[in-house]
Amino acid sequence: MLIVVLSGLRARWASFLGGFLALALGVGLLATMGLGLSATFHAPERSPQRFASSPVVVQGQDRLTLDVRRGPDTVPVSQRLDRPQPVDKELLRELRTRWTLTTSGGPDAVGVDAPAAEVRALVGDRARVLTGDERRDADPDPERDAQALVGLNALLGTTGGVTAFVSVFVVASTFAFAVALRRREFGLLRTAGATPGQVRRMLLAEATALGVLASATGCVLGAAGAPLLARTLVDSGLAPEWFAVGDATWPFHLAFWTGLTVALAGAVAASRRAGKVGPTAALREADVDTDVLPLGRALLGTGLLVTGLGLLVWTCVTEPSELLKRKTYTTLPMLLIGGVALLSPLLVRPVARLLRSRGAVGTLVRENSAASVRRTAAVAAPVLVTVALAGTLFGSAASVTRTRGVEAREQTAAQYVASGEELRPVTEAPDGAVVSPTASTSLFVRDGAEAVVKYGARAVADPAAFAELARLPLVAGDLRDLDDRSIVVNEEFERHRVGETVEIWRADGSGPVRLRVVAVLALGTGDNGPYVTRANAPGAAVDRIEARGGGAATARALEASGGTVRTADAWAAADHPPSSPQARLGMILVLGIALVYTVIGLANTLLMATSVRGGELASLRLAGATRTQILRVVTGEAALATAIGALLGLAVTAAVLGTLGAGLAALSAPVALVLPWATVGAAAAVCAAVAIAASALPAWRLTR
């Protein structure tokens, strides 16, 4: 058996080259992403900077701690405040009378040169006492390193997941199509006395050999690629300057065994089909495919398709806001892509029959594509993956950001908007102008008895001007009723009926304060947060001033505030850019990986398929076809298969974007869907160019 396997690998190395390259590349990318991912789990341990010379630091409270219910017990839950509070003046006086204090950077913390136990005894629960490495909490933005790794972790994790998904797809497709081309060989083996089990074991042995070699090669590529990835992420500003891959070994184990598993998984179904080939298959001459959709493939494809559609509809009905999140529109489309690709042999023949051409070349293209369903489906499947990923990822991200920009513009009647940190108030508004300053703040609200939720809110300085300029999606109530004892909430709040009372804690941790609900907003895309007056937002600095009327004098008055003054349209566009650099790079990485795999899959499939058509092409020459006509037939079949894959990919994109639109409508948000025609068209064009070239080259050689 081993001799037969090795001989087969040597004789058919070209047929296995595409699968080897795809698997080695997949393992290499998994190892690279795994090494990068392992470096995001822990931020570097920095030494204290602000109070490095003080053994003890007393810091004002920076967390709100409330008791919540966990089963039959009650446990404390903490939420970080927007900023640490100043140390109590009375406490400072007591500390200063006993020890030497060090001040640096603000009133929220002081260094104390004293024994920690004595300081804790004096402070009690009036402030936090920090020692050792805990003193880092008093540094500016102490969680900046951990926060910098959150997005990077999501980027690398998503890219690794897509790599695994697409590699399974390409390798399984390669093995399945290779088995279909070798049915006469298996028939001869059966005629020579080989049992179905021996044929299956031979194919699994080939897959094992391919998997081991490709996985080992991929691990070497991953070790070399991980430092390059880290440098690229740092240079592009997506990772902090200190980011570097470590010496973790688990990514290599994960990548190697995943690669081997993918190779064996791709060969299992193909080996079962090979074991069913009877001795009479060696005598078969017809090239019309039969039994192109085995029961197992049909059940799996139907299950994935139904599950994907069901989850989309369920999410749209129960939690439409989840459709706006990147993890949703990255993962759910994969189920649809897998289901449609597995069922593609059912769709190939009727779609191919739609081609109407009166010439001999067009007729041959249509009939050959419809007859050779496996070949056509094998070409269409990787194109489907690429086009669907391009459409769903770029389309969903662009639709969400455009919707948020449109929503922001529709929610204000202002002509001008000044934005910036700590804006100065407009002391004298021009005649006829309405000026509404607001500030960013936070509110803490109990969600039942089990959780404490932190909401991003807006603090209104002038409720009357705010009500005149705001065009918020009201469900109930009136914005004009907002005052220091009331609140505007959205439908996400547990208590969201006009007249009900909501218990809140302010951004500085003070509270609880009971506020009456005067208006309720639709949830929208998530930016319709609660609104309170400045009285319930201590310490919040004005960061936005909206204005209408007064002509050019209003714009000049806003410029004196020290912020950036734009028209409302320009402000909405600038405040909601198409996508962040990190998100865009992530999508480009995902699409680039899919496109590379598609190129490998297309080239490998068409080189194999066209190379075994020597007899068919010779028959066409004998029937009077010219060399040019034969090349047009072969390349036309490749182009038609690519077009079928692109159409199926667009169908998946339409399903995802359509569900997203329904979800936005359910959230009472504007529906501004975007289909990235340029990205989808570029991906389809690359696929078509590769498919035509990979089919034309062997056809040219065979017709010499």
Side-chain angles (χ1 to χ4, degrees):
M1 176 66 74
L2 182 59
I3 295 176
V4 174
V5 170
L6 295 177
S7 299
L9 289 174
R10 284 196 300 269
R12 286 183 298 275
W13 65 270
S15 300
F16 290 104
L17 181 60
F20 175 85
L21 291 176
L23 195 56
L25 177 63
V27 171
L29 286 171
L30 280 177
T32 299
M33 299 303 165
L35 288 168
L37 198 62
S38 67
T40 66
F41 292 153
H42 303 287
E45 296 292 335
R46 293 179 181 267
S47 58
Q49 299 176 3
R50 182 178 171 190
F51 294 103
S53 60
S54 299
V56 179
V57 175
V58 176
Q59 184 185 40
Q61 294 292 350
D62 67 341
R63 290 173 174 83
L64 172 66
T65 302
L66 299 175
D67 291 333
V68 299
R69 187 172 297 281
R70 290 288 188 271
D73 302 322
T74 300
V75 297
V77 172
S78 296
Q79 289 275 13
R80 185 176 288 274
L81 303 177
D82 288 355
R83 64 191 69 83
Q85 298 307 300
V87 180
D88 181 71
K89 292 182 179 179
E90 178 61 25
L91 176 59
L92 280 176
R93 187 187 62 78
E94 294 177 21
L95 291 170
R96 192 173 285 113
T97 58
R98 296 186 59 179
W99 302 293
T100 302
L101 303 186
T102 302
T103 58
S104 174
D108 61 296
V110 293
V112 183
D113 189 6
E118 296 182 18
V119 175
R120 285 195 177 94
L122 175 65
V123 171
D125 59 359
R126 293 180 290 176
R128 297 181 67 202
V129 178
L130 310 176
T131 60
D133 291 339
E134 288 181 339
R135 292 174 296 164
R136 290 195 302 266
D137 289 351
D139 292 341
D141 196 8
E143 295 185 347
R144 62 186 183 278
D145 291 338
Q147 292 172 350
L149 297 178
V150 172
L152 194 59
N153 182 285
L155 167 65
L156 297 177
T158 300
T159 306
V162 172
T163 299
F165 170 76
V166 180
S167 63
V168 169
F169 217 91
V170 173
V171 173
S173 176
T174 299
F175 271 97
F177 190 64
V179 168
L181 293 179
R182 295 168 62 187
R183 61 179 177 266
R184 293 179 185 172
E185 173 193 339
F186 299 142
L188 288 173
L189 288 173
R190 294 295 309 281
T191 303
T195 65
Q198 287 176 321
V199 174
R200 286 194 294 268
R201 287 194 294 273
M202 181 186 72
L203 278 177
L204 291 175
E206 290 176 352
T208 301
L210 178 70
V212 169
L213 293 174
S215 297
T217 304
C219 287
V220 174
L221 293 175
L228 296 176
L229 173 67
R231 284 199 295 271
T232 301
L233 292 172
V234 171
D235 293 342
S236 58
L238 300 178
E241 294 182 358
W242 47 260
F243 180 75
V245 296
D247 55 357
T249 57
W250 66 262
F252 293 107
H253 289 283
L254 177 64
F256 180 88
W257 294 111
T258 299
L260 185 57
T261 302
V262 166
L264 291 174
V268 166
S271 66
R272 294 187 62 184
R273 290 181 57 84
K276 296 178 181 179
V277 175
T280 56
L283 304 176
R284 180 174 174 175
E285 292 295 339
D287 287 325
V288 179
D289 289 335
T290 59
D291 189 26
V292 294
L293 192 65
L295 179 61
R297 177 169 178 164
L299 291 176
L300 180 59
T302 303
L304 288 175
L305 186 60
V306 170
T307 302
L309 290 174
L311 286 175
L312 278 176
V313 173
W314 176 262
T315 305
C316 181
V317 172
T318 59
E319 291 288 342
S321 60
E322 290 294 316
L323 294 172
L324 279 59
K325 297 180 179 179
R326 186 172 59 181
K327 66 177 182 181
T328 302
Y329 61 72
T330 300
T331 55
L332 285 187
M334 292 185 186
L335 296 175
L336 295 180
I337 293 170
V340 173
L342 288 173
L343 297 176
S344 60
L346 282 180
L347 306 173
V348 163
R349 191 165 284 161
V351 174
R353 299 287 189 192
L354 295 177
L355 177 65
R356 290 290 180 262
S357 178
R358 297 178 181 178
V361 171
T363 302
L364 282 172
V365 168
R366 181 181 66 243
E367 297 304 323
N368 284 348
S369 299
S372 302
V373 173
R374 288 195 183 94
R375 181 179 68 227
T376 308
V379 174
V383 179
L384 156 66
V385 173
T386 302
V387 171
L389 284 176
T392 55
L393 287 180
F394 284 82
S396 298
S399 297
V400 170
T401 53
R402 176 175 290 186
T403 295
R404 284 176 172 158
V406 172
E407 182 182 55
R409 181 61 187 94
E410 290 180 351
Q411 290 182 359
T412 179
Q415 293 175 295
Y416 303 101
V417 178
S419 57
E421 296 182 359
E422 298 185 3
L423 300 180
R424 294 186 293 273
V426 177
T427 54
E428 296 184 5
D431 293 338
V434 179
V435 179
S436 174
T438 58
S440 177
T441 187
S442 296
L443 299 177
F444 301 91
V445 182
R446 287 187 184 275
D447 188 5
E450 293 79 22
V452 177
V453 180
K454 181 179 181 179
Y455 287 97
R458 301 294 302 176
V460 177
D462 185 342
F466 167 73
E468 186 171 347
L469 293 183
R471 297 294 183 268
L472 300 176
L474 276 176
V475 175
D478 194 332
L479 297 178
R480 292 173 295 183
D481 295 333
L482 180 65
D483 56 27
D484 293 346
R485 293 174 296 177
S486 61
I487 184 174
V488 176
V489 303
N490 59 43
E491 293 178 305
E492 190 177 17
F493 274 63
E494 182 184 21
R495 303 175 67 86
H496 58 268
R497 293 182 181 178
V498 174
E500 290 186 325
T501 301
V502 177
E503 191 175 68
I504 64 110
W505 283 259
R506 302 184 181 102
D508 64 350
S510 61
V513 178
R514 298 177 65 83
L515 301 177
R516 181 173 54 88
V517 175
V518 296
V520 181
L521 307 178
L523 188 59
T525 61
D527 291 335
N528 297 336
Y531 289 82
V532 294
T533 61
R534 291 287 299 278
N536 290 305
V542 172
D543 58 4
R544 186 195 305 169
I545 303 176
E546 301 174 19
R548 186 184 66 184
T554 301
R556 290 193 295 271
L558 291 178
E559 290 173 354
S561 68
T564 302
V565 180
R566 303 182 181 93
T567 63
D569 291 334
W571 163 78
D575 206 48
H576 299 82
S579 61
S580 66
Q582 190 174 60
R584 186 162 187 82
L585 178 62
M587 291 187 293
I588 291 174
L589 271 177
V590 169
L591 182 59
I593 290 170
L595 195 56
V596 169
Y597 274 113
T598 297
V599 168
I600 294 173
L602 286 176
N604 186 60
T605 298
L606 287 168
L607 286 173
M608 285 193 301
T610 310
S611 297
V612 299
R613 299 177 67 183
E616 175 190 347
L617 300 184
S619 298
L620 288 175
R621 292 297 302 273
L622 292 175
T626 65
R627 190 180 191 188
T628 301
Q629 287 176 320
I630 292 175
L631 290 176
R632 287 170 58 194
V633 169
V634 173
T635 55
E637 293 172 12
L640 178 59
T642 303
I644 292 173
L647 287 174
L648 295 178
L650 287 174
V652 173
T653 301
V656 173
L657 293 183
T659 307
L660 175 60
L664 290 171
L667 293 168
S668 300
V671 180
L673 299 180
V674 178
L675 182 60
W677 288 109
T679 304
V680 171
V686 171
C687 294
V690 172
I692 291 172
S695 60
L697 290 176
W700 178 269
R701 181 179 59 84
L702 291 173
T703 55
R704 283 186 301 180

